[in-house]
Structures are given as C-alpha cells and as structure tokens.
Amino acid sequence: MILILTNEKYYGALLQQKTVMVDSLTHKRIRNKGQEQQYLIEDNHEPIVSKALFEAVQKEKARRAKLKGNVMGESKRYSSKYALSSKVYCGCCGAIFKRRTWNSNNPSKKVVWQCKTYVNEGRAACNAKSVDEQVLHSAFERLFNRMYKNKKGFIKTLKANIVSVLSSKIGKEPLLDIEGQIQQLKSDLKELVNLKLRNQIDEIVYDEETNRLSGELNELRQQMLILEEEEDQKEKIKERVDEIIQLLNSRQDILEQFDDNLFNALVEKITILSPAHFIFTLKSGMSMDEVLD
C-alpha cells in the first residue's frame, strides 16, 4: 500500500523524464533532480487510487518530512524538536516509543522513551521496559564511532550491498514484454469498437470481450507500475548509500557527543529489543546491533 500512495502512476497520471541519460555509450541514467524538464500527463491510464487520496497522502508525507528532516541538504536539515521522535520502535509489539519525563518538578528528573502500547494499555498489553534517552544517545555515538574507525571496511560493505541490490534489477525485457501486451490489448479493444460500430458483433459478445480485455489491461498496467516502482526504490537506496558514504568521508574525527543532524542523516529507525539491546536500521537499509555491556 505504501508504494501505491507514493507514485503518481497509481492515480492515473504519468510523470515523464524521471531519469536522464548521462552517458550515451553506456546508456547510464540517473534520477532527474532538475537537470531536465519533467512533464506530468494527467488521466493517462486507469487509476488504482483516487487523486484526492493521493494528494492527501502527499500533504501528510510533507508534514512528517518537515518534522523529521532529510538525509542531506541545507534547505531540508533536521528540524524536529527531538532527534529520536518517530524513530524509536518497540521490538515486542512494534509500536512507537514516546518521550516522557519522570520527576519533572525536581532535580532528579529523567528523560526516558517508553512503548506507546505500554503507556496506553499497561503491562498486560506489552511489557517492554523504558530506555533512558542518554543511553540511546550514547549507543548511537558508539555505533557511529565503530563505523568511522572501520570506515574503509564499512564503505566496502555498503558498496557490496548496493552491487547486490542492483544486480537484481528487473531489466528492460519484462517491462517491454508487458508494454507489448498492453499495446496488443489496446488494439484488440479498438477492433472491438470498430466491429460494434459496423454492427458486426453480438451485443453480449461485445460486452463480455470488452470486460475481459479491460480486466487484462488493468492487471498488466498494475504489474508494470509495481515493476517500475521496485526499480525506483532500488535507485533511492543507492542514493542513500552514496549520501552515507559522502557523509563518512567528510567527517574529520570520531563523535564525542550526540549530534542530532548526524543521527538523522544516518538512522532510519531504532528497534528496542531490551534496555540493553538495540537494532539501528540505517537509511541504506542495513541493520546494526548495539548491545550494552
């Protein structure tokens, strides 16, 4: 469902020139980030979701992105009140962790993160324990410093993962095959209409064939959209990996204190397995364990 609500193709539109060719010999293409004009064709094909729903989702995505910030870029730097907001999840029930302040009116106050299910429904619903915010900050510092100290090896692993992801590319053949089938079905539908106009086909047969061909056409269109979206997702992962490598290479020293922007640039989410065991999922999709002594 997430893919459907992030691609304009699913509400019936077609955005042309999403990628641009940068090498005519190798036919290498990269994502179009303003290098060339893009063209949006409305009502290009049968929609899967309504345009109103699609636009509502984009507004909500923009709202959340404003809270969480982005990986790189001056105009989209992290701006949320708390770095960990919307990024800490329960390993027991999957719910998000909420920030809470204990003993807020005295010097012994403590900031912790607790499972939303536990807070709202109690221990019977989820028995996940709270985690001190400073513990999570320190865990990220140690994680980053491990990455930085073994920067060459870590970058090598990232690049190997990308090679693996890109090697599973669908290729042009399946897409071209589906495109050819779509064109054939369109031609068949057009021929049916011509037969109808010339009164050379029975009404019932016409309706049955039209429904059959239209159903096959919609199914093929959905298959094509899903294949194209999968390829888009792979390219996005590659971009994220490139950004992480750039960030590591630009860093001059280890991390001595928690950095909000660095955390937001690298980490997609933290899964709390216990107060002493966390899984950091990086923006590249790689997961790394951090276990306290």
Side-chain angles (χ1 to χ4, degrees), residues 100-163:
R100 308 187 78 194
T101 303
W102 291 350
N103 304 320
S104 58
N105 296 322
N106 62 57
S108 63
K109 71 177 182 179
K110 182 179 181 181
V111 177
V112 300
W113 290 79
Q114 282 187 296
C115 173
K116 183 178 179 180
T117 302
Y118 175 87
V119 172
N120 294 340
E121 303 176 34
R123 188 185 302 273
C126 181
N127 63 357
K129 293 180 171 60
S130 62
V131 182
D132 191 303
E133 183 172 76
Q134 289 303 317
V135 170
L136 289 174
H137 285 181
S138 297
F140 172 70
E141 293 168 30
R142 290 193 300 276
L143 181 83
F144 176 81
N145 289 338
R146 288 208 318 269
M147 291 163 50
Y148 182 81
K149 290 174 181 178
N150 185 33
K151 182 166 61 176
K152 289 184 178 179
F154 183 74
I155 290 176
K156 183 178 179 180
T157 300
L158 282 176
K159 289 182 176 179
N161 287 346
I162 281 302
V163 169

Side-chain angles (χ1 to χ4, degrees), residues 18 38 42 47 51 94 99 127 139 189 202 253 255 267 292:
K18 279 189 173 182
Q38 293 183 317
E42 299 278 2
K51 184 177 180 180
R99 190 179 193 268
N127 63 357
L189 281 168
D202 181 78
D253 203 352
L255 188 61
V267 178
L292 305 184

Side-chain angles (χ1 to χ4, degrees), residues 49-260:
V49 299
S50 69
K51 184 177 180 180
L53 174 60
F54 181 86
E55 290 179 342
V57 170
Q58 307 322 301
K59 289 180 181 178
E60 176 62 17
K61 283 178 60 187
R63 184 188 72 80
R64 294 185 184 185
K66 188 175 181 180
L67 288 175
K68 292 176 69 177
N70 206 304
V71 175
M72 302 283 280
E74 292 298 322
S75 64
K76 295 183 179 179
R77 291 179 66 84
Y78 177 78
S79 60
S80 183
K81 188 174 181 180
Y82 306 112
L84 300 176
S85 296
S86 302
K87 290 198 172 187
V88 185
Y89 289 84
C90 180
C92 297
C93 71
I96 199 165
F97 265 47
K98 298 174 65 175
R99 190 179 193 268
R100 308 187 78 194
T101 303
W102 291 350
N103 304 320
S104 58
N105 296 322
N106 62 57
S108 63
K109 71 177 182 179
K110 182 179 181 181
V111 177
V112 300
W113 290 79
Q114 282 187 296
C115 173
K116 183 178 179 180
T117 302
Y118 175 87
V119 172
N120 294 340
E121 303 176 34
R123 188 185 302 273
C126 181
N127 63 357
K129 293 180 171 60
S130 62
V131 182
D132 191 303
E133 183 172 76
Q134 289 303 317
V135 170
L136 289 174
H137 285 181
S138 297
F140 172 70
E141 293 168 30
R142 290 193 300 276
L143 181 83
F144 176 81
N145 289 338
R146 288 208 318 269
M147 291 163 50
Y148 182 81
K149 290 174 181 178
N150 185 33
K151 182 166 61 176
K152 289 184 178 179
F154 183 74
I155 290 176
K156 183 178 179 180
T157 300
L158 282 176
K159 289 182 176 179
N161 287 346
I162 281 302
V163 169
S164 176
V165 167
L166 297 182
S167 67
S168 64
K169 271 182 168 290
I170 298 166
K172 295 180 180 180
E173 290 77 11
L175 290 172
L176 290 174
D177 180 56
I178 291 177
E179 193 172 87
Q181 293 180 57
I182 287 175
Q183 293 305 318
Q184 183 59 54
L185 287 171
K186 285 182 177 180
S187 177
D188 292 345
L189 281 168
K190 185 176 180 180
E191 181 59 29
L192 272 177
V193 172
N194 289 334
L195 291 172
K196 171 74 171 175
L197 292 174
R198 295 196 299 266
N199 293 318
Q200 294 178 336
I201 188 171
D202 181 78
E203 186 79 27
I204 295 176
V205 174
Y206 171 80
D207 290 340
E208 289 177 348
E209 283 299 294
T210 299
N211 290 335
R212 180 182 66 80
L213 293 173
S214 296
E216 291 180 9
L217 186 59
N218 287 334
E219 185 177 334
L220 286 171
R221 281 170 170 163
Q222 291 182 34
Q223 289 178 22
M224 175 171 278
L225 291 176
I226 291 170
L227 290 177
E228 290 178 340
E229 185 64 23
E230 286 176 356
E231 290 302 289
D232 285 346
Q233 291 299 317
K234 289 176 183 178
E235 289 301 322
K236 288 177 183 177
I237 291 174
K238 183 179 183 303
E239 288 178 4
R240 288 178 177 180
V241 168
D242 289 342
E243 288 169 349
I244 289 174
I245 291 173
Q246 180 184 343
L247 189 151
L248 285 172
N249 284 330
S250 66
R251 184 80 187 181
Q252 299 301 314
D253 203 352
I254 63 172
L255 188 61
E256 296 184 351
Q257 64 180 15
F258 185 77
D259 185 303
D260 287 17

Side-chain angles (χ1 to χ4, degrees), residues 249-283:
N249 284 330
S250 66
R251 184 80 187 181
Q252 299 301 314
D253 203 352
I254 63 172
L255 188 61
E256 296 184 351
Q257 64 180 15
F258 185 77
D259 185 303
D260 287 17
N261 290 322
L262 185 61
F263 172 82
N264 187 64
L266 288 173
V267 178
E268 184 71 29
K269 72 173 184 177
I270 307 174
T271 303
I272 309 297
L273 298 184
S274 78
H277 187 183
F278 320 126
I279 297 178
F280 286 79
T281 302
L282 304 185
K283 298 261 182 166

